[in-house]
Protein backbone atom coordinates (compact mmCIF):
# COMPACT_ATOMS: atom_id res chain seq x y z
CA UNK A 1 0.00 0.00 0.00
CA UNK A 2 1.46 3.35 -1.05
CA UNK A 3 1.07 6.07 1.57
CA UNK A 4 1.42 9.77 0.82
CA UNK A 5 1.94 12.77 3.06
CA UNK A 6 -0.39 15.65 2.17
CA UNK A 7 1.45 18.93 1.45
CA UNK A 8 -0.42 20.77 4.22
CA UNK A 9 0.67 18.32 6.94
CA UNK A 10 3.81 18.74 9.04
CA UNK A 11 5.43 16.59 11.69
CA UNK A 12 7.51 17.68 14.66
CA UNK A 13 9.52 15.37 16.84
CA UNK A 14 9.22 15.90 20.58
CA UNK A 15 11.97 13.66 21.85
CA UNK A 16 10.76 10.09 21.50
CA UNK A 17 7.21 11.16 20.62
CA UNK A 18 5.88 13.68 18.13
CA UNK A 19 2.94 15.60 16.73
CA UNK A 20 1.39 15.72 13.29
CA UNK A 21 -0.33 19.00 12.37
CA UNK A 22 -2.73 19.65 9.52
CA UNK A 23 -1.98 23.28 8.67
CA UNK A 24 -5.23 23.63 6.73
CA UNK A 25 -7.47 22.59 9.64
CA UNK A 26 -5.09 23.26 12.58
CA UNK A 27 -5.79 19.72 13.78
CA UNK A 28 -3.04 18.25 15.97
CA UNK A 29 -2.49 14.51 16.36
CA UNK A 30 -0.09 13.39 19.09
CA UNK A 31 2.06 10.28 18.51
CA UNK A 32 3.67 8.13 21.18
CA UNK A 33 7.09 6.56 20.69
CA UNK A 34 5.80 3.74 18.50
CA UNK A 35 3.57 6.06 16.48
CA UNK A 36 6.44 8.48 15.93
CA UNK A 37 8.62 5.66 14.64
CA UNK A 38 5.85 4.47 12.30
CA UNK A 39 5.46 8.05 11.04
CA UNK A 40 9.21 8.34 10.39
CA UNK A 41 9.13 5.13 8.39
CA UNK A 42 6.06 6.21 6.39
CA UNK A 43 7.68 9.59 5.68
CA UNK A 44 10.77 7.70 4.50
CA UNK A 45 8.69 5.80 1.96
CA UNK A 46 8.97 2.46 3.74
CA UNK A 47 6.17 0.02 2.73
CA UNK A 48 3.91 -1.20 5.52
CA UNK A 49 5.26 -4.80 5.60
CA UNK A 50 8.74 -3.40 6.19
CA UNK A 51 7.37 -1.07 8.88
CA UNK A 52 6.08 -4.13 10.72
CA UNK A 53 9.48 -5.82 10.45
CA UNK A 54 11.22 -2.68 11.73
CA UNK A 55 8.91 -2.46 14.75
CA UNK A 56 9.56 -6.11 15.63
CA UNK A 57 13.31 -5.50 15.44
CA UNK A 58 13.28 -2.21 17.39
CA UNK A 59 10.59 -2.81 20.04
CA UNK A 60 9.53 -5.73 22.20
CA UNK A 61 6.50 -6.65 20.09
CA UNK A 62 5.32 -9.66 18.11
CA UNK A 63 4.67 -9.36 14.35
CA UNK A 64 0.86 -9.56 14.69
CA UNK A 65 0.74 -6.73 17.22
CA UNK A 66 3.16 -4.61 15.19
CA UNK A 67 1.06 -5.09 12.06
CA UNK A 68 -2.16 -4.26 13.93
CA UNK A 69 -0.63 -1.11 15.46
CA UNK A 70 0.58 0.03 12.05
CA UNK A 71 -2.82 -0.60 10.43
CA UNK A 72 -4.63 1.24 13.23
CA UNK A 73 -2.36 4.27 13.10
CA UNK A 74 -2.58 4.47 9.31
CA UNK A 75 -6.39 4.23 9.53
CA UNK A 76 -6.52 6.97 12.17
CA UNK A 77 -4.20 9.27 10.22
CA UNK A 78 -6.17 8.78 6.99
CA UNK A 79 -9.47 9.44 8.78
CA UNK A 80 -8.06 12.69 10.17
CA UNK A 81 -6.71 13.80 6.80
CA UNK A 82 -3.09 13.53 7.93
CA UNK A 83 -2.15 10.77 5.50
CA UNK A 84 -3.38 9.73 2.07
CA UNK A 85 -3.55 6.26 0.55
Amino acid sequence: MALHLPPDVVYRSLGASGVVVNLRTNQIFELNTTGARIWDLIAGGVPTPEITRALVEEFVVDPETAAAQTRQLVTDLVQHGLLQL
Side-chain angles (χ1 to χ4, degrees), residues 13-25:
S13 176
L14 303 171
S17 61
V19 293
V20 182
V21 180
N22 185 322
L23 299 174
R24 185 176 37 81
T25 64

Side-chain angles (χ1 to χ4, degrees), residues 29 38 65-79:
F29 197 86
I38 293 170
T65 301
Q69 288 176 339
T70 301
R71 278 191 306 274
Q72 185 61 56
L73 181 59
V74 166
T75 298
D76 291 346
L77 291 170
V78 168
Q79 287 177 346

Side-chain angles (χ1 to χ4, degrees), residues 1-4 45-49 70-71 74 78 83-85:
M1 160 181 16
L3 303 170
H4 305 281
V46 176
T48 52
T70 301
R71 278 191 306 274
V74 166
V78 168
L83 189 63
Q84 298 170 338
L85 299 176

Side-chain angles (χ1 to χ4, degrees), residues 16-78:
S17 61
V19 293
V20 182
V21 180
N22 185 322
L23 299 174
R24 185 176 37 81
T25 64
N26 292 321
Q27 183 174 25
I28 299 171
F29 197 86
E30 187 174 352
L31 299 174
N32 63 15
T33 302
T34 306
R37 182 62 179 135
I38 293 170
W39 179 270
D40 287 339
L41 293 166
I42 290 170
V46 176
T48 52
E50 291 181 32
I51 292 172
T52 298
R53 281 192 288 276
L55 294 179
V56 169
E57 291 174 6
E58 297 173 24
F59 296 92
V60 180
V61 62
D62 61 86
E64 294 79 20
T65 301
Q69 288 176 339
T70 301
R71 278 191 306 274
Q72 185 61 56
L73 181 59
V74 166
T75 298
D76 291 346
L77 291 170
V78 168

